[in-house]
Amino acid sequence: MSTVTQTLRAQPAWNPEDPDFWSRHGRAVALRNLVFVIPAMALSFAVWMLWSVLVVHLPAAGFRYSTNQLFWLSALPALCGATLRIFYGLALPWVGGRRWTVLSTASLLLPAGGIAWAVQDPNTPYETMVLLSLLCGLGGANFASGVAHISACFPVHEQGTALGIGAGFAHLGVGLAQWLVPAGIALNLFDLTGQAGQAVWLANAGLIWLPLIVLASLAAWWGMNDVQSGRLSLQDQAQVFTHRHSWLMGWLYLGSFGSFIGFSAASPLLLSQQFPALETAQQLVWLGPLLGALMRPAGGWLADRLGGARISLAAFAVLVLGVFGVFASLSAGGRPGLFVASFVLLFGAAGLANGSTFRMIPAGFLRGVPAGDPETLRDTQARGAAALGLCSAIGAYGGFFIPKLFGSAFALSGGPQAALFCFLAFYLSCMAICWWFYGRANAPLSC
């Protein structure tokens, strides 16, 4: 056992706000935990978003589902993951970051293995697909515990950068899934079916993740620690539900992270429905989520220096422009180039807002906390971590609402325009909330 690990486990309390503790022991332990939690979070996002690309290939493989049913399959992982995030974030202080990361990452073997089995037969009941889609939500839930662990490891003045790096690399799992799944199903990697002449091997969409999940679970067990920055009772943690700041930030995070994960879930199928001839564009859908993931650390970094409200407000304004661009791309017979460019703009702005909005959440709980009271500070940080879990849960519902709204719009009118009107109104409300409560000169909470 390393000297750093022994020192950590000998500490009566983990206190990254103590400069002496942080410089001597804390920084090394926190950085190591950040390094080892990132692969687990990235794989969680990849499994979470499997259905976003898998639904595009189901019809060609003989699965007879309607467009609305396909959008349901891409939306349900977010519904399950968002709901479970609430409980995952609350459970982390009691189980420990290391143990919870190992258990939650290993649980991804269930949906990945189930998908590998189910997609081999086009006669698999739709209800089975729905169940497997819900189980992929386990990957989405892991994010709440991951970011809560990162928040507990770092002092408040470095949380924006640490959360931006951790979450940004985790979000790369979305692009990884949308790149690796099409590549994997095009190759006969495992030869489980024994059917010659197949065009795709859909079982690989689940099989390729199994060894990676095992490796990430073992790495987390070996390299992470069960740090504690404060252990509140469930009743104390539940106080975040009564804090107005939690819900306002949750609304903003629904507009930022919800947009990123929702458009990630919906854009491959939406592109195939609107422009089926653009096969090259289908092979590059992962570039949008990749851009969003790369912009998230930039959002956290800028929020640390310029203020989260300023960056979030600008990002929501760009999201409004992106929606107008999608509207224009669907008129006059369709403009595929403008459609792709508009979604690139949406992903970039959503990624920037992810980092800046997430930085604002714990900062709001630390306002007015006495600097010389370490016990109060630790408990307040624990409440901030619980708020991160709640807001991340609210934001994850965007992964359900966006593809579901697209599916409903297609079912009602044959196109996505009705859903775009809803997104436009929502982003305008995010701008109003961000400016009034956090960005104006006499805002109730400037951050």
Side-chain angles (χ1 to χ4, degrees):
M1 185 182 297
S2 69
T3 303
V4 170
T5 305
Q6 288 176 331
T7 303
L8 170 66
R9 293 180 178 175
Q11 286 294 125
W14 171 261
N15 186 12
E17 300 299 334
D18 180 352
D20 183 57
F21 172 80
W22 180 248
S23 61
R24 288 190 297 112
H25 309 297
R27 181 186 296 276
V29 174
L31 290 175
R32 179 161 49 79
N33 276 263
L34 178 62
V35 167
F36 279 94
V37 79
I38 283 175
M41 293 172 65
L43 280 175
S44 296
F45 265 80
V47 173
W48 196 23
M49 287 292 104
L50 273 181
W51 286 97
S52 69
V53 63
L54 188 58
V55 293
V56 177
H57 300 278
L58 289 180
F63 292 87
R64 304 305 178 197
Y65 302 144
S66 68
T67 298
N68 194 33
Q69 285 179 312
L70 293 174
F71 272 114
W72 264 110
L73 291 177
S74 64
L76 286 174
L79 179 64
C80 178
T83 304
L84 289 177
R85 278 187 175 194
I86 301 173
F87 305 100
Y88 274 46
L90 294 176
L92 182 80
W94 297 93
V95 179
R98 170 176 170 253
R99 283 171 287 184
W100 189 261
T101 300
V102 172
L103 292 173
S104 60
T105 304
S107 72
L108 302 178
L109 293 170
L110 184 60
I115 288 172
W117 163 75
V119 297
Q120 295 183 52
D121 183 6
N123 296 316
T124 300
Y126 182 70
E127 292 77 12
T128 301
M129 297 299 199
V130 167
L131 176 60
L132 291 170
S133 179
L134 288 169
L135 285 174
C136 283
L138 295 172
N142 289 356
F143 182 74
S145 55
V147 296
H149 182 68
I150 294 172
S151 177
C153 285
F154 285 84
V156 64
H157 68 276
E158 295 189 25
Q159 285 182 8
T161 302
L163 289 170
I165 292 173
F169 276 102
H171 289 179
L172 291 176
V174 179
L176 179 65
Q178 295 184 348
W179 169 74
L180 191 56
V181 168
I185 65 177
L187 301 172
N188 187 8
L189 297 175
F190 302 100
D191 194 26
L192 294 181
T193 61
Q195 297 177 3
Q198 282 186 223
V200 295
W201 288 264
L202 286 183
N204 293 347
L207 292 173
I208 55 180
W209 306 106
L210 298 182
L212 299 177
I213 292 169
V214 172
L215 289 175
S217 301
L218 293 175
W221 179 260
W222 173 76
M224 293 179 63
N225 298 90
D226 292 313
V227 303
Q228 296 291 349
S229 63
R231 177 177 288 188
L232 299 176
S233 67
L234 291 178
Q235 182 178 1
D236 288 335
Q237 291 187 70
Q239 289 181 9
V240 299
F241 292 97
T242 65
H243 200 298
R244 181 179 66 171
H245 174 73
S246 300
W247 297 104
L248 291 173
M249 284 297 182
W251 188 264
L252 297 182
Y253 200 59
L254 180 62
S256 56
F257 177 75
S259 296
F260 169 80
I261 204 66
F263 289 132
S264 296
S267 59
L269 184 57
L270 181 64
L271 179 62
S272 69
Q273 293 291 328
Q274 294 299 116
F275 304 102
L278 293 180
E279 296 184 5
T280 302
Q282 279 293 343
Q283 297 171 1
L284 298 176
V285 292
W286 54 273
L287 288 175
L290 174 63
L291 175 63
L294 294 176
M295 290 299 291
R296 176 156 189 160
W301 183 84
L302 289 171
D304 281 340
R305 286 150 183 80
L306 302 177
R310 293 180 181 179
I311 305 303
S312 296
L313 187 60
F316 286 127
V318 176
L319 283 166
V320 170
L321 293 178
V323 173
F324 277 119
V326 177
F327 266 120
S329 73
L330 299 176
S331 62
R335 302 170 183 173
L338 181 59
F339 180 90
V340 173
S342 298
F343 265 95
V344 168
L345 191 65
L346 288 170
F347 276 113
L352 193 69
N354 281 346
S356 59
T357 304
F358 214 58
R359 175 63 186 90
M360 295 164 64
I361 298 169
F365 280 83
L366 290 168
R367 296 290 180 183
V369 177
D373 188 351
E375 184 176 351
T376 301
L377 181 60
R378 284 195 298 269
D379 286 347
T380 303
Q381 286 177 318
R383 288 189 177 90
L388 287 173
L390 174 61
C391 291
S392 71
I394 296 172
Y397 281 110
F400 169 76
F401 288 123
I402 287 179
K404 187 63 195 76
L405 280 172
F406 277 130
S408 298
F410 273 99
L412 292 174
S413 61
Q417 286 81 356
L420 294 173
F421 279 113
C422 295
F423 303 151
L424 182 61
F426 177 71
Y427 293 139
L428 291 173
S429 75
C430 289
M431 292 182 64
I433 290 173
C434 188
W435 176 78
W436 181 260
F437 289 99
Y438 305 105
R440 62 189 175 94
N442 298 315
L445 181 59
S446 179
C447 57

